[in-house]
Amino acid sequence: QVQLQESGGGLVQAGGSLKLSCVASGSIAVINTMGWFRQAPGQQRELVAGLIGGRTTNYADSAKGRFTISRDVAKDTVTVHLQMNNLKVEDTAVYYCHAGGEIPHDYWGQGTQVTVAS
């Protein structure tokens, strides 16, 4: 089992920045991908940024040039960060951390609210 603990959400003015962090603990050896998804009210959950194998990144078009995903690896934990700059009102959503590996390893964090005010 893998546990994910998110932090860093909050309220920010448009144009501002936030940094989300997600600490993965437990059976971290099974993880080969980590990423951030978001879900706005009435919308489907969507990928924001992903990190595959610790090196390959992919971003939603809406995130390119503004968001950066990165990770830190420690002995017993892996932390993935999402630096979000030049935030827009449309970035408002609940952001979820995800960690995945071979079936059946698929884990989600509890979500953290990001609200961007105009």
Side-chain angles (χ1 to χ4, degrees):
Q1 284 291 321
V2 172
Q3 295 78 44
L4 301 176
Q5 182 63 54
E6 299 147 337
S7 62
L11 173 65
V12 65
Q13 293 291 317
S17 298
L18 281 175
K19 185 175 183 178
L20 306 181
S21 296
C22 172
V23 180
S25 60
S27 302
I28 59 173
V30 304
I31 299 172
N32 55 38
T33 66
M34 292 191 74
W36 289 93
F37 289 71
R38 69 186 181 189
Q39 188 168 18
Q43 303 293 321
Q44 290 187 332
R45 192 172 296 188
E46 62 177 2
L47 174 69
V48 177
L51 188 60
I52 303 167
R55 293 188 175 185
T56 302
T57 59
N58 62 305
Y59 295 93
D61 287 344
S62 60
K64 289 177 182 176
R66 300 188 298 127
F67 295 2
T68 303
I69 190 169
S70 62
R71 75 167 192 176
D72 295 315
V73 179
K75 179 181 178 183
D76 296 319
T77 61
V78 177
T79 301
V80 65
H81 307 283
L82 185 67
Q83 177 67 46
M84 304 186 292
N85 298 326
N86 190 23
L87 282 160
K88 303 177 180 181
V89 172
E90 51 264 40
D91 294 318
T92 296
V94 179
Y95 284 69
Y96 296 91
C97 178
H98 176 263
E102 294 186 3
I103 295 173
H105 298 291
D106 185 65
Y107 305 97
W108 292 92
Q110 79 282 2
T112 185
Q113 177 70 45
V114 171
T115 302
V116 184
S118 60

